[in-house]
Amino acid sequence: MFTLGTAAKHVGKSKPTISKAIKDGKLSATKVNGVYQIDPSELDRAFPRNSPSKAQTAPLRASSGSIDVALAEQRNAHLEATVEELKARLDDMKAERDQALQDAREDRNKVMALLEDQRPKSFWAKMFK
């Protein structure tokens, strides 16, 4: 899943362009904690990339290796952005998991306290024990 910024970088558009496409219904996205989550296949559907044919790119690559370097750097930047996004998502998921575990522990303690009936005994119950 892409955020608004990574989606814009992925298709070479601006953030406002992607946002407008979402608001106009041309691109579907879900909003999680105030952040758009855009499926890559949906992004490619709404903003198809015009990839040149091999015949068109072959002369360029043969004439200069700098294009290959530029493409590799672009891909590297995209992959680094994806890694950072996945790290952030992983951190969020870990925080959610930790909170769920804490909630479960608290609930278990409440149930155990009810089952053990830790209320103090009355004066008469203590006298005739």
Side-chain angles (χ1 to χ4, degrees):
M1 299 296 268
F2 289 122
T3 62
L4 193 66
T6 55
K9 286 180 185 176
H10 183 73
V11 295
K13 304 286 183 187
S14 67
K15 287 182 185 180
T17 301
I18 303 296
S19 181
K20 185 174 183 327
I22 292 169
K23 289 176 184 169
D24 292 346
K26 296 177 182 173
L27 175 64
S28 63
T30 56
K31 209 169 199 181
V32 179
N33 296 329
V35 178
Y36 281 116
Q37 297 293 317
I38 304 165
D39 187 79
S41 61
E42 175 64 11
L43 186 64
D44 289 338
R45 181 199 61 77
F47 295 98
R49 292 192 221 170
N50 295 330
S51 58
S53 66
K54 289 183 182 179
Q56 292 171 331
T57 59
L60 293 175
R61 289 188 180 164
S63 65
S64 173
S66 65
I67 293 175
D68 288 335
V69 172
L71 289 173
E73 288 174 352
Q74 183 181 12
R75 180 172 180 163
N76 187 35
H78 169 69
L79 291 174
E80 286 175 354
T82 302
V83 166
E84 290 303 315
E85 177 188 346
L86 291 173
K87 283 181 182 179
R89 288 177 57 198
L90 181 61
D91 290 341
D92 291 344
M93 292 170 110
K94 285 180 180 179
E96 288 176 11
R97 179 205 57 201
D98 292 343
Q99 184 61 46
L101 284 172
Q102 182 64 28
D103 292 346
R105 286 185 186 116
E106 289 172 4
D107 290 346
R108 182 190 66 212
N109 290 340
K110 289 176 185 176
V111 168
M112 292 304 293
L114 289 172
L115 290 175
E116 292 172 0
D117 191 16
Q118 298 174 353
R119 292 180 292 175
K121 296 187 179 189
S122 71
F123 172 78
W124 294 109
K126 288 179 186 176
M127 294 298 291
F128 294 110
K129 186 176 180 182

